[in-house]
Coordinates of all heavy atoms in Angstrom, one line a residue:
I124 N 2.2 -5.6 7.3 CA 0.9 -6.3 7.5 C 0.3 -6.3 6.1 O 0.1 -5.2 5.5 CB 0.0 -5.6 8.5 CG1 0.6 -5.5 9.8 CG2 -1.4 -6.3 8.5 CD1 -0.2 -4.6 10.8
N125 N -0.1 -7.4 5.6 CA -0.8 -7.5 4.3 C -2.1 -8.3 4.4 O -2.0 -9.4 5.0 CB 0.2 -8.2 3.3 CG -0.4 -8.2 1.9 OD1 -1.4 -7.6 1.6 ND2 0.3 -8.9 1.0
S126 N -3.2 -7.7 4.0 CA -4.4 -8.5 4.0 C -5.3 -7.9 2.9 O -5.5 -6.7 2.8 CB -5.1 -8.3 5.4 OG -6.4 -8.9 5.3
P127 N -6.0 -8.8 2.2 CA -7.0 -8.4 1.2 C -8.3 -7.9 1.9 O -9.1 -7.3 1.3 CB -7.3 -9.6 0.4 CG -7.0 -10.8 1.3 CD -5.8 -10.3 2.2
L128 N -8.3 -8.1 3.2 CA -9.5 -7.6 4.0 C -9.4 -6.2 4.5 O -10.4 -5.6 5.0 CB -9.7 -8.6 5.2 CG -9.9 -10.0 4.9 CD1 -10.1 -10.8 6.2 CD2 -11.1 -10.2 4.0
F129 N -8.3 -5.6 4.3 CA -8.1 -4.2 4.8 C -9.1 -3.3 4.0 O -9.4 -3.5 2.8 CB -6.7 -3.6 4.5 CG -5.8 -3.8 5.7 CD1 -4.5 -4.4 5.4 CD2 -6.1 -3.5 7.0 CE1 -3.7 -4.6 6.5 CE2 -5.3 -3.7 8.0 CZ -4.0 -4.2 7.8
N130 N -9.6 -2.2 4.6 CA -10.4 -1.2 4.0 C -9.6 0.1 3.9 O -9.6 0.9 4.8 CB -11.7 -0.9 4.9 CG -12.6 -2.1 4.9 OD1 -13.2 -2.5 3.9 ND2 -12.7 -2.8 6.1
P131 N -8.9 0.2 2.7 CA -8.1 1.5 2.5 C -9.0 2.6 2.0 O -10.2 2.4 1.6 CB -7.1 1.0 1.5 CG -7.9 0.0 0.7 CD -8.8 -0.7 1.6
D132 N -8.4 3.8 2.0 CA -9.1 4.9 1.4 C -9.0 4.7 -0.2 O -8.4 3.8 -0.7 CB -8.5 6.3 1.8 CG -7.1 6.5 1.3 OD1 -6.4 5.5 0.8 OD2 -6.6 7.6 1.4
D133 N -9.7 5.6 -0.9 CA -9.8 5.5 -2.3 C -8.5 5.5 -3.0 O -8.2 4.8 -4.0 CB -10.7 6.5 -2.9 CG -12.2 6.3 -2.5 OD1 -12.5 5.2 -2.2 OD2 -12.9 7.3 -2.6
S134 N -7.5 6.3 -2.5 CA -6.2 6.4 -3.1 C -5.3 5.3 -2.7 O -4.1 5.2 -3.1 CB -5.6 7.7 -2.9 OG -5.3 7.9 -1.5
R135 N -5.7 4.4 -1.8 CA -4.9 3.3 -1.2 C -3.7 3.8 -0.5 O -2.7 3.2 -0.5 CB -4.6 2.3 -2.3 CG -5.8 1.6 -2.9 CD -5.5 0.4 -3.7 NE -4.7 -0.6 -3.0 CZ -5.2 -1.5 -2.2 NH1 -6.4 -1.5 -1.8 NH2 -4.4 -2.4 -1.6
S136 N -3.8 5.0 0.1 CA -2.6 5.6 0.7 C -2.6 5.3 2.2 O -1.6 5.5 2.9 CB -2.6 7.1 0.5 OG -3.7 7.7 1.1
H137 N -3.7 4.9 2.8 CA -3.8 4.4 4.2 C -5.0 3.6 4.4 O -6.0 3.7 3.7 CB -3.7 5.6 5.1 CG -4.9 6.5 5.1 ND1 -5.1 7.5 4.2 CD2 -5.9 6.6 6.0 CE1 -6.2 8.1 4.5 NE2 -6.8 7.6 5.5
V138 N -5.0 2.9 5.6 CA -6.2 2.2 6.0 C -6.9 3.0 7.1 O -6.2 3.7 7.8 CB -5.9 0.8 6.5 CG1 -5.4 -0.1 5.4 CG2 -5.0 0.7 7.6
F139 N -8.2 2.9 7.2 CA -8.9 3.7 8.2 C -8.7 3.0 9.6 O -9.0 1.8 9.7 CB -10.4 3.7 7.9 CG -10.6 4.4 6.6 CD1 -11.1 3.7 5.5 CD2 -10.5 5.8 6.4 CE1 -11.3 4.3 4.3 CE2 -10.7 6.4 5.2 CZ -11.2 5.7 4.1
L140 N -8.2 3.8 10.6 CA -8.0 3.2 11.9 C -8.6 4.1 13.0 O -8.6 3.7 14.2 CB -6.5 3.1 12.2 CG -5.7 2.1 11.4 CD1 -4.2 2.2 11.6 CD2 -6.2 0.7 11.7
N141 N -9.2 5.2 12.6 CA -9.8 6.1 13.6 C -11.4 5.9 13.5 O -12.0 6.0 12.5 CB -9.5 7.5 13.3 CG -8.0 7.8 13.6 OD1 -7.4 7.2 14.5 ND2 -7.4 8.6 12.8
L142 N -12.0 5.8 14.7 CA -13.4 5.7 14.8 C -14.1 7.0 14.4 O -13.5 8.1 14.5 CB -13.8 5.3 16.2 CG -13.4 3.9 16.6 CD1 -13.7 3.6 18.1 CD2 -14.1 2.8 15.8
S143 N -15.3 6.9 14.0 CA -16.0 8.1 13.4 C -17.4 8.1 14.0 O -17.9 7.1 14.4 CB -16.1 7.9 11.9 OG -17.1 8.7 11.4
P144 N -18.1 9.3 14.0 CA -19.5 9.3 14.4 C -20.4 8.5 13.5 O -21.5 8.1 13.9 CB -19.8 10.8 14.4 CG -18.6 11.5 14.4 CD -17.5 10.6 13.8
D145 N -19.9 8.2 12.3 CA -20.7 7.4 11.4 C -20.5 5.9 11.7 O -19.5 5.3 11.4 CB -20.2 7.6 9.9 CG -20.9 6.8 8.9 OD1 -21.8 6.0 9.3 OD2 -20.6 6.9 7.7
H146 N -21.5 5.3 12.4 CA -21.4 3.9 12.9 C -21.2 2.9 11.8 O -20.5 1.9 12.0 CB -22.5 3.6 13.8 CG -22.6 4.4 15.0 ND1 -21.6 4.3 16.0 CD2 -23.4 5.4 15.4 CE1 -21.9 5.2 17.0 NE2 -23.0 5.9 16.6
G147 N -21.7 3.2 10.6 CA -21.5 2.3 9.5 C -20.1 2.2 9.0 O -19.5 1.2 8.7
F148 N -19.4 3.4 9.1 CA -18.0 3.5 8.7 C -17.2 2.8 9.7 O -16.1 2.2 9.4 CB -17.6 5.0 8.6 CG -16.2 5.2 8.3 CD1 -15.7 5.0 7.0 CD2 -15.3 5.6 9.3 CE1 -14.4 5.3 6.7 CE2 -14.0 5.8 9.0 CZ -13.5 5.6 7.7
N149 N -17.6 2.8 11.0 CA -16.8 2.2 12.1 C -16.7 0.6 11.9 O -15.7 0.1 12.4 CB -17.4 2.5 13.4 CG -17.1 3.9 13.9 OD1 -16.2 4.5 13.3 ND2 -17.9 4.4 14.8
K150 N -17.6 0.0 11.1 CA -17.4 -1.4 10.8 C -16.1 -1.6 10.1 O -15.3 -2.6 10.3 CB -18.6 -1.9 10.0 CG -19.8 -2.0 10.8 CD -21.0 -2.6 10.0 CE -22.3 -2.6 10.7 NZ -23.4 -3.1 10.0
K151 N -15.8 -0.7 9.1 CA -14.5 -0.8 8.4 C -13.3 -0.6 9.3 O -12.3 -1.3 9.2 CB -14.5 0.2 7.2 CG -15.5 -0.1 6.1 CD -15.4 0.9 5.1 CE -16.4 0.6 3.9 NZ -16.3 1.6 2.8
V152 N -13.5 0.4 10.1 CA -12.4 0.8 11.1 C -12.1 -0.4 12.0 O -11.0 -0.8 12.3 CB -12.7 2.0 11.9 CG1 -11.7 2.3 13.0 CG2 -12.8 3.2 10.9
N153 N -13.2 -1.0 12.6 CA -13.0 -2.1 13.5 C -12.4 -3.3 12.9 O -11.6 -4.0 13.5 CB -14.4 -2.4 14.2 CG -14.8 -1.4 15.2 OD1 -14.0 -0.8 15.8 ND2 -16.1 -1.2 15.3
L154 N -12.7 -3.6 11.6 CA -12.1 -4.7 10.9 C -10.6 -4.4 10.7 O -9.7 -5.2 11.0 CB -12.7 -4.9 9.5 CG -12.1 -6.0 8.7 CD1 -12.0 -7.3 9.4 CD2 -12.7 -6.1 7.3
N155 N -10.3 -3.2 10.3 CA -8.9 -2.8 10.1 C -8.1 -2.9 11.4 O -7.0 -3.4 11.5 CB -8.7 -1.4 9.6 CG -9.2 -1.2 8.1 OD1 -9.2 -2.2 7.4 ND2 -9.5 0.0 7.7
R156 N -8.7 -2.5 12.5 CA -8.0 -2.6 13.8 C -7.8 -4.0 14.2 O -6.8 -4.4 14.8 CB -8.9 -1.8 14.9 CG -8.8 -0.3 14.8 CD -9.6 0.3 15.9 NE -9.4 1.7 15.9 CZ -9.7 2.5 17.0 NH1 -10.3 1.9 18.1 NH2 -9.4 3.8 17.0
A157 N -8.8 -4.8 14.0 CA -8.7 -6.3 14.3 C -7.6 -6.9 13.5 O -6.9 -7.7 14.1 CB -10.0 -7.0 14.1
L158 N -7.4 -6.5 12.3 CA -6.3 -7.1 11.5 C -5.0 -6.6 12.1 O -4.0 -7.4 12.1 CB -6.4 -6.6 10.0 CG -7.6 -7.2 9.3 CD1 -7.8 -6.5 7.9 CD2 -7.5 -8.7 9.0
F159 N -4.9 -5.4 12.5 CA -3.6 -4.9 13.2 C -3.4 -5.7 14.5 O -2.3 -6.2 14.7 CB -3.7 -3.4 13.5 CG -3.1 -2.6 12.5 CD1 -3.7 -2.3 11.3 CD2 -1.9 -2.0 12.7 CE1 -3.2 -1.5 10.3 CE2 -1.3 -1.2 11.7 CZ -2.0 -0.9 10.5
E160 N -4.4 -5.9 15.3 CA -4.3 -6.6 16.5 C -3.9 -8.1 16.3 O -3.0 -8.6 17.0 CB -5.5 -6.5 17.3 CG -5.8 -5.0 17.8 CD -7.2 -4.8 18.3 OE1 -7.9 -5.7 18.7 OE2 -7.6 -3.6 18.3
N161 N -4.5 -8.7 15.3 CA -4.1 -10.1 15.0 C -2.7 -10.2 14.5 O -2.0 -11.1 14.7 CB -5.0 -10.7 13.9 CG -6.4 -10.9 14.5 OD1 -6.6 -11.1 15.7 ND2 -7.4 -11.0 13.6
A162 N -2.2 -9.1 13.8 CA -0.8 -9.1 13.3 C 0.1 -9.1 14.4 O 1.2 -9.7 14.3 CB -0.6 -7.9 12.4
I163 N -0.2 -8.4 15.5 CA 0.7 -8.4 16.7 C 0.8 -9.8 17.3 O 1.9 -10.2 17.7 CB 0.1 -7.4 17.8 CG1 0.1 -6.0 17.2 CG2 1.0 -7.5 19.0 CD1 1.4 -5.5 16.8
D164 N -0.3 -10.6 17.3 CA -0.2 -12.0 17.8 C 0.7 -12.8 16.9 O 1.5 -13.6 17.4 CB -1.6 -12.6 17.8 CG -2.5 -11.9 18.9 OD1 -1.9 -11.3 19.8 OD2 -3.7 -12.0 18.7
L165 N 0.6 -12.6 15.6 CA 1.5 -13.3 14.6 C 2.9 -12.9 14.8 O 3.9 -13.7 14.7 CB 1.0 -13.1 13.2 CG -0.3 -13.7 12.9 CD1 -0.8 -13.2 11.5 CD2 -0.3 -15.2 12.9
F166 N 3.2 -11.6 15.0 CA 4.5 -11.1 15.3 C 5.1 -11.7 16.5 O 6.3 -12.0 16.5 CB 4.4 -9.5 15.4 CG 5.8 -8.9 15.5 CD1 6.8 -9.0 14.6 CD2 6.0 -8.1 16.7 CE1 8.0 -8.4 14.8 CE2 7.2 -7.4 16.8 CZ 8.2 -7.6 15.9
T167 N 4.3 -11.9 17.5 CA 4.8 -12.5 18.8 C 5.2 -14.0 18.5 O 6.3 -14.4 18.9 CB 3.6 -12.6 19.8 OG1 3.2 -11.2 20.1 CG2 4.1 -13.3 21.1
Q168 N 4.5 -14.7 17.6 CA 4.8 -16.0 17.3 C 6.2 -16.0 16.5 O 7.0 -16.9 16.7 CB 3.7 -16.7 16.4 CG 2.5 -17.0 17.2 CD 1.4 -17.5 16.3 OE1 1.6 -18.1 15.3 NE2 0.1 -17.2 16.7
L169 N 6.3 -15.1 15.6 CA 7.5 -15.0 14.8 C 8.7 -14.7 15.7 O 9.8 -15.4 15.6 CB 7.4 -13.8 13.8 CG 8.7 -13.5 13.1 CD1 9.1 -14.6 12.1 CD2 8.6 -12.2 12.3
L170 N 8.6 -13.8 16.7 CA 9.7 -13.5 17.6 C 10.1 -14.7 18.4 O 11.2 -14.9 18.7 CB 9.4 -12.3 18.4 CG 9.4 -11.0 17.7 CD1 9.0 -9.8 18.7 CD2 10.7 -10.7 17.1
D171 N 9.1 -15.4 18.9 CA 9.3 -16.6 19.7 C 10.1 -17.6 18.8 O 11.1 -18.2 19.3 CB 8.0 -17.2 20.1 CG 8.2 -18.4 21.0 OD1 9.0 -18.3 22.0 OD2 7.6 -19.5 20.8
A172 N 9.8 -17.8 17.6 CA 10.5 -18.7 16.7 C 11.9 -18.3 16.5 O 12.8 -19.1 16.6 CB 9.7 -18.9 15.4
V173 N 12.1 -17.0 16.1 CA 13.5 -16.6 15.8 C 14.4 -16.5 17.0 O 15.6 -16.7 16.9 CB 13.5 -15.3 15.0 CG1 12.7 -15.4 13.7 CG2 12.9 -14.1 15.8
S174 N 13.8 -16.3 18.2 CA 14.6 -16.3 19.4 C 15.1 -17.7 19.7 O 16.2 -17.8 20.1 CB 13.9 -15.7 20.6 OG 12.8 -16.5 20.9
K175 N 14.3 -18.7 19.4 CA 14.8 -20.1 19.6 C 15.8 -20.5 18.6 O 16.6 -21.4 18.8 CB 13.6 -21.0 19.5 CG 12.6 -20.9 20.6 CD 11.4 -21.8 20.5 CE 10.4 -21.6 21.6 NZ 9.2 -22.3 21.5
L176 N 15.9 -19.8 17.5 CA 16.9 -20.0 16.4 C 18.1 -19.2 16.6 O 19.0 -19.2 15.8 CB 16.3 -19.8 15.0 CG 15.1 -20.7 14.6 CD1 14.5 -20.2 13.3 CD2 15.7 -22.1 14.5
N177 N 18.1 -18.4 17.7 CA 19.3 -17.6 18.1 C 19.6 -16.5 17.1 O 20.8 -16.2 16.8 CB 20.5 -18.4 18.4 CG 20.3 -19.3 19.6 OD1 19.7 -18.8 20.6 ND2 20.7 -20.5 19.6
W178 N 18.6 -15.9 16.4 CA 18.9 -14.8 15.5 C 19.5 -13.7 16.3 O 19.2 -13.4 17.4 CB 17.6 -14.3 14.9 CG 17.1 -15.2 13.7 CD1 17.4 -16.5 13.5 CD2 16.1 -14.8 12.8 NE1 16.7 -16.9 12.4 CE2 15.9 -15.9 11.9 CE3 15.4 -13.6 12.5 CZ2 15.0 -15.8 10.8 CZ3 14.5 -13.5 11.5 CH2 14.4 -14.6 10.6
E179 N 20.3 -12.9 15.6 CA 21.0 -11.8 16.2 C 20.3 -10.5 15.8 O 19.5 -10.5 14.9 CB 22.5 -11.7 15.8 CG 23.3 -12.9 16.2 CD 24.7 -12.8 15.8 OE1 25.2 -11.8 15.3 OE2 25.4 -13.8 16.0
N180 N 20.6 -9.5 16.6 CA 20.1 -8.1 16.3 C 18.5 -8.0 16.3 O 18.0 -7.3 15.5 CB 20.6 -7.6 14.9 CG 22.1 -7.5 15.0 OD1 22.7 -7.1 15.9 ND2 22.8 -7.9 13.9
L181 N 17.9 -8.8 17.2 CA 16.4 -8.7 17.2 C 15.9 -7.3 17.7 O 14.8 -7.0 17.5 CB 15.9 -9.8 18.2 CG 16.1 -11.2 17.6 CD1 15.5 -12.2 18.7 CD2 15.4 -11.4 16.3
H182 N 16.8 -6.5 18.3 CA 16.4 -5.2 18.8 C 15.9 -4.3 17.6 O 15.1 -3.4 17.8 CB 17.6 -4.5 19.5 CG 18.8 -4.2 18.6 ND1 19.7 -5.2 18.4 CD2 19.2 -3.1 18.0 CE1 20.6 -4.7 17.6 NE2 20.3 -3.4 17.4
Y183 N 16.3 -4.7 16.4 CA 15.8 -3.9 15.2 C 14.3 -4.1 15.0 O 13.6 -3.3 14.4 CB 16.6 -4.3 13.9 CG 18.0 -3.8 13.9 CD1 19.0 -4.7 13.8 CD2 18.2 -2.4 13.9 CE1 20.3 -4.2 13.8 CE2 19.5 -2.0 13.8 CZ 20.6 -2.9 13.8 OH 21.9 -2.4 13.7
L184 N 13.8 -5.2 15.6 CA 12.4 -5.5 15.5 C 11.5 -4.8 16.6 O 10.3 -5.0 16.7 CB 12.1 -7.0 15.5 CG 12.8 -7.7 14.3 CD1 12.6 -9.2 14.5 CD2 12.2 -7.3 13.0
A185 N 12.2 -4.1 17.4 CA 11.5 -3.4 18.6 C 10.9 -2.1 18.2 O 10.2 -1.5 19.1 CB 12.4 -3.3 19.7

Side-chain angles (χ1 to χ4, degrees):
I124 304 172
N125 185 10
S126 174
L128 301 177
F129 271 131
N130 292 294
D132 67 348
D133 291 338
S134 65
R135 299 191 54 79
S136 63
H137 70 279
V138 295
F139 299 110
L140 294 171
N141 293 325
L142 295 173
S143 160
D145 177 0
H146 296 291
F148 179 76
N149 284 343
K150 289 180 184 179
K151 292 181 178 183
V152 172
N153 287 329
L154 175 60
N155 289 341
R156 285 181 171 198
L158 292 168
F159 265 77
E160 293 165 25
N161 289 338
I163 298 301
D164 294 336
L165 294 171
F166 183 58
T167 301
Q168 292 175 31
L169 171 70
L170 289 177
D171 185 49
V173 299
S174 67
K175 289 176 182 174
L176 296 171
N177 296 319
W178 280 20
E179 295 181 11
N180 299 317
L181 291 179
H182 63 280
Y183 288 116
L184 298 176

